[in-house]
């Protein structure tokens, strides 16, 4: 069920599409701040991962919650044309799974960051620190320093 009215849904969809690259930019800058080296868009790799951390044999995909069906409120299904949407969503999810399996078979670690995880810098930083814990030095962030 859609939590938005049709007109509101249109606005939300436009916003999602328009800001397409923002979550990716946020992830890039945070990965950079953490001192991890990366390349963009691994053209030769399955699914062209958004970030490629060759040294760590890791790739990062930044997924929009709506298109890639994250289990969160950004991924509400539009009320109109349910068959159209469910086919589209299914294709996206299946492609994500296929690409992930291919990359893992090639020995890559696949990290998927969701759009909603990029909205708060602290959340994103903690998430990336957890993913790359063994590569990073001791944390000096405010978020971690305030932990008991
Ligand atoms: Zn989400």
């Amino acid at each position: 069920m859609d939590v938005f009215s049709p007109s509101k849904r249109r606005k939300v969809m436009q916003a999602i599409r328009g800001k397409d690259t923002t979550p990716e930019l946020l992830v890039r800058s945070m990965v950079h701040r953490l001192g991890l080296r990366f390349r963009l868009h691994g053209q030769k790799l399955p699914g062209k991962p958004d970030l490629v951390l060759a040294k760590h044999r890791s790739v990062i995909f930044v997924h929009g919650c709506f298109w890639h069906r994250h289990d969160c409120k950004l991924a509400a299904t539009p009320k109109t044309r349910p068959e159209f949407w469910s086919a589209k969503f299914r294709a996206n999810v299946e492609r994500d799974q296929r690409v992930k399996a291919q990359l893992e078979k090639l020995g890559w670690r696949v990290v998927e960051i969701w759009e909603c995880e990029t909205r708060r810098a602290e959340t994103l930083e903690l998430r990336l620190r957890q993913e790359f814990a063994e590569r990073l030095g001791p944390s000096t962030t405010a978020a971690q320093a305030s932990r008991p």
Side-chain angles (χ1 to χ4, degrees):
M1 209 183 67
D2 200 341
V3 294
F4 300 119
S5 68
S7 68
K8 172 81 176 161
R9 163 58 57 192
R10 255 192 308 278
K11 288 204 181 83
V12 169
M13 297 289 297
Q14 280 160 2
I16 290 167
R17 255 187 236 118
K19 277 191 272 177
D20 224 30
T21 56
T22 305
E24 192 189 324
L25 291 177
L26 291 168
V27 170
R28 269 190 227 170
S29 75
M30 185 61 78
V31 169
H32 186 255
R33 259 169 64 187
L34 293 175
L36 297 163
R37 296 270 191 85
F38 61 90
R39 281 185 296 122
L40 294 177
H41 310 296
Q43 298 292 340
K44 290 176 190 157
L45 293 174
K48 295 179 189 159
D50 297 312
L51 280 74
V52 180
L53 292 79
K55 196 174 145 195
H56 309 302
R57 201 74 185 158
S58 301
V59 297
I60 299 177
F61 286 98
V62 185
H63 285 328
C65 296
F66 181 78
W67 292 107
H68 296 267
R69 306 321 285 161
H70 192 212
D71 186 16
C72 77
K73 66 180 177 186
L74 297 181
T77 300
K79 260 183 197 158
T80 54
R81 303 168 71 201
E83 299 82 7
F84 166 81
W85 289 110
S86 67
K88 218 170 174 51
F89 292 149
R90 200 164 47 241
N92 282 347
V93 170
E94 282 171 7
R95 190 180 56 232
D96 290 344
Q97 288 168 349
R98 199 165 55 236
V99 162
K100 188 173 184 218
Q102 285 170 346
L103 285 162
E104 284 173 349
K105 215 174 157 189
L106 293 169
W108 292 90
R109 191 163 65 100
V110 178
V111 176
E112 290 168 299
I113 303 286
W114 292 100
E115 173 189 1
C116 62
E117 294 181 290
T118 67
R119 299 204 156 180
R120 287 184 65 241
E122 295 87 349
T123 310
L124 179 59
E125 180 173 353
L126 280 177
R127 174 76 205 282
L128 288 166
R129 281 190 180 279
Q130 279 159 11
E131 292 290 350
F132 296 97
E134 74 280 15
R135 312 292 181 181
L136 298 167
S139 168
T140 53
T141 65
Q144 295 222 332
S146 65
R147 271 200 328 213

